[in-house]
Amino acid sequence: MAWRDSRSQRTRLVIFSLAIVSGIAALTAIHSLKRSVERGIGAEAKALLGSDLQVSSRRAIGSEDIERLSAMATRISREITFPSMLRFLPDGGARLMQVRGIEGEYPFYGKVETRPADAWGRLQREGGILLEPALLDQFGAKTGDEVELGGIQLRILGVVDKPAPRGSRFSGFAPEAYVRLADMERSGLLGKNSMSSHQVHLEIPDGPPSRELKDRVRENFPKTSWRLETPEDRRETLGDALDHFQRFLGLIALASLALGAIGVAGAVHAHVARRVPTIAILRCLGCPGQVAFAIYFVQAAALGLLGALLGAALGIGLQTGVLAFFRDDLPISIGLTPEWKVVAQTTAAGFAVCCGFALLPLLKIRRVSPAATLRNGASLQGGVLRLLPVYGLLVGLMVMLAHANDPNWKRALAMVGGLAVAFLVLVGVAKALMSVTRRLVGARWPYLVRQGISNLHRPGNQTLLFLLSLGLGTFLLVTVLLAGNLINGKLDISRGPGSPNLYLIDVQLDQEPGVRKVMEQQGLPVLESSPMVTMRIESVRGVKVREATGVPRWVARREFRSTYRDFLNDTETLVAGELATEPADREEVVPLSLEEGIANDMKVGLGDELTIDVQGMPIRTRVSSIRRVDWSRFNLNFFMVFPPGVLEDAPGFHVVTTRTPDAAASGELQRELAKQFANVTAIDLTLILETVHDILGKISTVVTVLAGFTVLAGLPILIGTLLNGRDVRLKESVLLRTLGASASQVRTILTIEYAALGILSALTGVLLAVAANWGLATYIFKVSPWPDAWLLVTAFAAATGISVAGGLALSRGVCNHPPLEILRGGV
């Protein structure tokens, strides 16, 4: 019965089944990609770290501690990493490098690939330096040439094609250079204030699990503040980074799936509404309501199954295609085999959601009475209260899908709640539009306008589904594009002459006047010069920071680089208290200014006491003010600001910022500094941000493409809605033609109707996107909430154009039926 009954409507039902294809494809592709990467990370976790345990510290690790660590391992290797300028001789130029001095056989897992192949082994035996291939091309150097690092000259042994695992995040912004640890110590760059990071790599092949191993080290070295990392930690870190991106894409996929499921529900409702006379005849013949319901539920299930299978196939193709395209660029080996378990789970989830939404119209079948055969125009009836269990089931399904995307229940509920709000707003706008047009249209209006606007509330109207499909698609796509603009705007450093694009770090106190002189000679401004001192937070309100309730763990592990001054800079705003400007005595309680974010993280306020460990010297402080810092600007910003008179004698260095007009001026300054002040590190933010912009550009492309899945989900709904409304428009058209209307007048009426639907859908979607953009700009990016007006206008015009063009295209032929047809009962 289900198969036979669907014969006249199969094309339309298939079109609606396409609505969930994009949603399930997005779910399948996103979750399969994440699972494939996790599997690859798990298989190569040790190669990602290169050892079984990595001990890291900002301070030098003593020889006694190294001996005790050696007793725990079968092999041990030391490494010191720091940024420095490298000069290519004789006058080939200079470049900021991340120099890695290694002693031992690290990495213990995985292999460093070099050209020539034996260069990594020769490095430890002979000394020298290994560089990245691009550097030799950039400076016209070759193997055998010499470079200058600090006070020594080193011969280039070769290039590194596959580097050792990176332990420093900064190395992602600067090319790496490998030297022997002994040569690094000979260079004279390892001063007590240098920005160096110290690592000890241990091989413990038969050691205890990750957590037990770290607990044992902390018990044996209780007074240290080392950062311990195992292969399991490296795997979790990469997984966390992947999760943030995956959550956002998962939200898009969830919205696409929900939109598609609503489309299926609309299609089933329209289909069943046309079959009410057939259902009534079945009831007259003795068919129970449950059987009639089962017939059409089978049709809906087949509809959902077709869409789910097509979506799963498309998702598999996307997953394998992305992995094949980026396979050579990935740092780990990932197989192209589909994640069949994930495919089955997402397909089943999508199918369940589709069937759940289809229940909303199907449950009304049981209320169709046999007497409907005697009533012309009988329709589906059903109270909202009777459908509350179904609504509860649908919310539960959506929350389960959201939880699969994000294991945090609060965020999962917020995700579903946000989508529900967007849906309710669109439904509310549609209902309000139908109510307003019913009351607003007057007899004095021009007939064609009155007829077109009245179509928005008449029986068989398309208003609700039209606004949901086009409005939600516009909302999500514009939100993604506006979010991309916020990210790019936050990283834009060319906003004025007072914004620095070059940092000079590790300038010693006695070097600061000389550095200023070099900059003045080259006509470059000194924008800022701030002292910087390294310290840790020891206790909060008298309680050790590791034991303090509510204080995040990272606060105890982090080394803060703080400054001292008696003024606020342009990126700071005082939100509570008063900034201490008078010199303080470090033997007494020192007034301290905290940044607003870290104060909230530590749950401290004005008057709370903190004990700060300044490189072994405890200083008691009291929070005297709280500042709001604009971190989007690249000025010298700090979490903690001390008054003068406290930190002047503490070991530290200065950071000087400037703004160079072009790359040539930046290169000339760096070359001169490398000659006179080899320890000074120059960080060109322009180069860094170009790299970040390139990465974000690729991510933005991926996000925009996947956001397009939401639009793809809306288009079949839009097409199906127009096809379902075509029957009603056909009858109205023939009736109007019978009453004397011309074909052009009928087309004008249709144009007015679709223009009104398009304008309202586009306006609602754009306004929702503006509201979302305001929330993102205000609470996350901390930038101006004003969106790009041209983007909004373009999105509004495009959505309206799609509505009118699509409506007229799919209504083509409505005006071609002769009026005589209505007299023959042909329509």
Side-chain angles (χ1 to χ4, degrees):
M1 284 295 296
W3 176 253
R4 290 176 178 175
D5 186 79
S6 68
R7 281 180 295 188
S8 62
Q9 303 293 325
R10 286 174 190 166
T11 301
R12 293 180 180 180
L13 292 177
V14 168
I15 290 176
F16 268 100
S17 72
L18 298 178
I20 63 168
V21 168
S22 58
I24 293 179
L27 273 180
T28 302
I30 291 168
H31 288 278
S32 295
L33 280 171
K34 182 174 183 288
R35 180 57 185 151
S36 295
V37 174
E38 286 177 345
R39 190 186 297 276
I41 292 173
E44 300 189 18
K46 288 192 175 184
L48 289 171
L49 186 65
S51 62
D52 293 299
L53 177 66
Q54 178 178 287
V55 180
S56 303
S57 174
R58 296 294 298 178
R59 302 176 184 176
I61 301 175
S63 56
E64 292 184 4
D65 290 338
I66 292 177
E67 290 180 4
R68 293 173 60 191
L69 288 170
S70 299
M72 301 172 55
T74 55
R75 283 191 294 175
I76 187 170
S77 182
R78 292 175 58 208
E79 178 181 354
I80 300 178
T81 306
F82 67 94
S84 181
M85 299 299 293
L86 186 73
R87 292 187 61 211
F88 289 80
L89 301 178
D91 292 313
R95 182 70 162 87
L96 173 67
M97 305 291 294
Q98 187 72 2
V99 184
R100 301 181 63 177
I102 296 177
E103 176 185 78
E105 301 176 18
Y106 180 78
F108 307 128
Y109 305 102
K111 184 180 180 181
V112 177
E113 297 179 2
T114 63
R115 283 180 288 154
D118 62 345
W120 185 254
R122 289 170 53 207
L123 178 68
Q124 294 299 328
R125 296 192 305 270
E126 305 172 10
I129 191 168
L130 292 173
L131 301 173
E132 296 183 3
L135 282 173
L136 271 62
D137 297 334
Q138 179 181 354
F139 291 95
K142 61 182 183 299
T143 300
D145 289 351
E146 290 193 339
V147 297
E148 183 177 81
L149 178 66
I152 64 173
Q153 295 183 1
L154 299 171
R155 186 166 59 91
I156 301 175
L157 298 179
V159 296
V160 178
D161 292 323
K162 182 180 178 182
R166 292 175 173 175
S168 171
R169 295 179 182 178
F170 184 80
S171 61
F173 293 122
E176 290 186 332
Y178 297 87
V179 300
R180 284 192 309 182
L181 189 56
D183 290 335
M184 176 181 283
E185 293 170 346
R186 269 194 319 120
S187 69
L189 297 175
L190 286 178
K192 62 179 180 180
N193 295 326
S194 65
M195 298 179 62
S196 58
S197 175
H198 301 256
Q199 287 94 30
V200 176
H201 307 283
L202 306 176
E203 182 189 40
I204 315 173
D206 299 322
S210 172
R211 187 181 299 275
E212 294 181 16
L213 179 60
K214 291 195 292 186
D215 289 342
R216 180 186 300 178
V217 174
R218 291 194 177 99
E219 290 175 1
N220 293 334
F221 302 88
K223 297 182 179 181
T224 62
S225 55
W226 297 338
R227 183 171 66 90
L228 307 177
E229 190 172 8
T230 63
E232 183 67 24
D233 296 324
R234 183 63 60 97
R235 182 174 66 182
E236 291 177 357
T237 300
L238 292 176
D240 290 343
L242 185 66
D243 278 344
H244 295 303
F245 188 44
Q246 184 257 350
R247 285 172 193 158
F248 182 66
L249 297 182
L251 176 60
I252 294 174
L254 192 66
S256 179
L257 178 64
L259 184 58
I262 289 175
V264 171
V268 172
H269 183 275
H271 173 61
V272 173
R274 286 192 293 269
R275 313 305 292 174
V276 168
T278 303
I279 296 171
I281 292 174
L282 288 174
R283 297 299 307 278
C284 288
L285 296 175
C287 177
Q290 291 82 354
V291 175
F293 163 81
I295 292 171
Y296 292 94
F297 182 77
V298 169
Q299 291 181 353
L303 193 70
L305 183 60
L306 175 63
L309 293 177
L310 290 175
L314 181 58
I316 292 172
L318 279 172
Q319 178 220 2
T320 54
V322 168
L323 288 179
F325 186 77
F326 292 105
R327 191 173 191 178
D328 295 335
D329 298 327
L330 295 174
I332 55 177
S333 177
I334 299 178
L336 298 182
T337 305
E339 299 290 339
W340 294 113
K341 183 178 179 180
V342 175
V343 171
Q345 291 173 342
T346 52
T347 304
F351 176 70
V353 169
C354 178
C355 291
F357 274 86
L359 286 175
L360 294 174
L362 288 175
L363 288 174
K364 299 177 182 180
I365 290 178
R366 296 182 300 175
R367 298 177 59 81
V368 175
S369 169
T373 55
L374 306 177
R375 295 196 301 267
N376 187 28
S379 60
L380 293 174
Q381 301 293 332
V384 175
L385 293 178
R386 294 177 178 273
L387 298 176
L388 284 180
V390 180
Y391 286 118
L393 172 64
L394 294 178
V395 171
L397 286 172
M398 296 301 292
V399 170
M400 289 177 62
L401 273 177
H403 184 256
N405 178 64
D406 188 342
N408 185 299
W409 279 107
K410 292 183 179 179
R411 286 196 295 259
L413 289 172
M415 186 185 300
V416 175
L419 286 176
V421 168
F423 283 128
L424 290 176
V425 168
L426 288 165
V427 170
V429 170
K431 296 289 186 183
L433 178 62
M434 288 185 279
S435 177
V436 168
T437 53
R438 184 179 288 109
R439 293 173 173 80
L440 186 64
V441 176
R444 296 183 179 180
W445 287 33
Y447 176 76
L448 297 182
V449 175
R450 187 169 71 246
Q451 187 73 14
I453 297 298
S454 296
N455 283 344
L456 300 179
H457 64 80
R458 287 173 177 160
N461 69 80
Q462 313 166 82
T463 305
L464 180 57
L465 276 179
F466 207 101
L467 259 75
L468 279 176
S469 58
L470 189 59
L472 190 63
T474 303
F475 158 59
L476 290 171
L477 190 58
V478 173
T479 298
V480 169
L481 296 176
L482 290 177
N485 288 345
L486 290 178
I487 295 173
N488 292 329
K490 193 172 179 67
L491 292 172
D492 185 10
I493 63 172
S494 57
R495 290 179 291 179
S499 182
N501 63 2
L502 189 70
Y503 274 28
L504 303 180
I505 298 177
D506 206 9
V507 179
Q508 300 303 306
L509 182 62
D510 60 340
Q511 296 175 326
E512 203 256 356
V515 171
R516 281 178 174 268
K517 184 177 180 181
V518 171
M519 296 169 64
E520 291 172 0
Q521 290 173 348
Q522 299 196 12
L524 298 176
V526 177
L527 299 179
E528 293 177 283
S529 178
S530 293
M532 190 177 291
V533 178
T534 302
M535 58 191 64
R536 289 180 178 273
I537 297 178
E538 185 175 293
S539 65
V540 178
R541 292 185 290 269
V543 180
K544 293 290 185 183
V545 67
R546 294 181 181 275
E547 303 170 2
T549 304
V551 177
R553 289 186 176 182
W554 65 266
V555 175
R557 296 194 301 263
R558 178 168 182 150
E559 283 190 337
F560 294 89
R561 295 187 183 273
S562 306
T563 192
Y564 52 91
R565 48 180 157 82
D566 57 1
F567 60 90
L568 296 174
N569 63 25
D570 295 337
T571 61
E572 297 175 326
T573 305
L574 201 63
V575 295
E578 294 183 1
L579 184 72
T581 58
E582 298 296 328
D585 186 352
R586 67 185 179 192
E587 300 299 329
E588 299 178 358
V589 179
V590 176
L592 177 68
S593 179
L594 275 184
E595 187 268 338
E596 183 181 35
I598 194 172
N600 292 334
D601 287 343
M602 295 194 298
K603 297 179 175 57
V604 299
L606 296 179
D608 287 336
E609 289 196 5
L610 305 176
T611 300
I612 309 297
D613 178 6
V614 183
Q615 302 177 37
M617 178 180 294
I619 296 179
R620 291 178 59 201
T621 67
R622 180 180 290 114
V623 180
S624 63
S625 65
I626 296 177
R627 297 164 294 116
R628 178 175 295 127
V629 177
D630 182 4
W631 296 103
S632 66
R633 297 173 61 183
F634 291 87
N635 298 77
L636 296 179
N637 298 313
F638 300 89
F639 286 113
M640 294 184 284
V641 174
F642 286 74
V646 179
L647 301 177
E648 281 81 351
D649 296 332
F653 55 87
H654 273 67
V655 178
V656 181
T657 67
T658 185
R659 184 172 185 82
T660 58
D662 49 42
S666 175
E668 180 62 28
L669 175 62
Q670 294 182 50
R671 281 191 291 272
E672 190 61 32
L673 289 174
K675 293 178 183 178
Q676 299 187 34
F677 308 100
N679 63 293
V680 174
T681 299
I683 301 180
D684 192 330
L685 293 181
T686 305
L687 297 176
I688 292 174
L689 287 177
E690 284 177 359
T691 303
V692 175
H693 272 298
D694 183 59
I695 295 171
L696 289 176
K698 294 177 180 178
I699 292 177
S700 178
T701 301
V702 173
V703 171
T704 304
V705 169
L706 289 175
F709 276 91
T710 304
V711 179
L712 291 177
L715 288 179
I717 303 174
L718 197 61
I719 294 171
T721 302
L722 293 171
L723 286 176
N724 284 330
R726 191 174 186 276
D727 293 340
V728 177
R729 300 297 169 264
L730 185 59
K731 293 180 181 179
E732 293 177 353
S733 170
V734 171
L735 181 59
L736 289 171
R737 294 291 304 281
T738 302
L739 297 175
S742 65
S744 63
Q745 289 176 316
V746 173
R747 280 192 289 268
T748 301
I749 292 172
L750 292 176
T751 301
I752 293 172
E753 177 186 359
Y754 292 125
L757 285 172
I759 289 172
L760 263 296
S761 301
L763 182 62
T764 307
V766 167
L767 290 178
L768 283 172
V770 169
N773 179 76
W774 178 86
L776 291 172
T778 303
Y779 296 107
I780 296 179
F781 294 103
K782 310 291 185 183
V783 295
S784 172
W786 293 104
D788 183 352
W790 284 110
L791 174 61
L792 300 183
V793 171
T794 302
F796 178 82
T800 305
I802 288 174
S803 171
V804 175
L808 293 179
L810 291 174
S811 299
R812 189 177 58 180
V814 167
C815 304
N816 297 333
H817 291 267
L820 190 60
E821 285 192 18
I822 195 170
L823 303 177
R824 294 173 175 170
V827 294

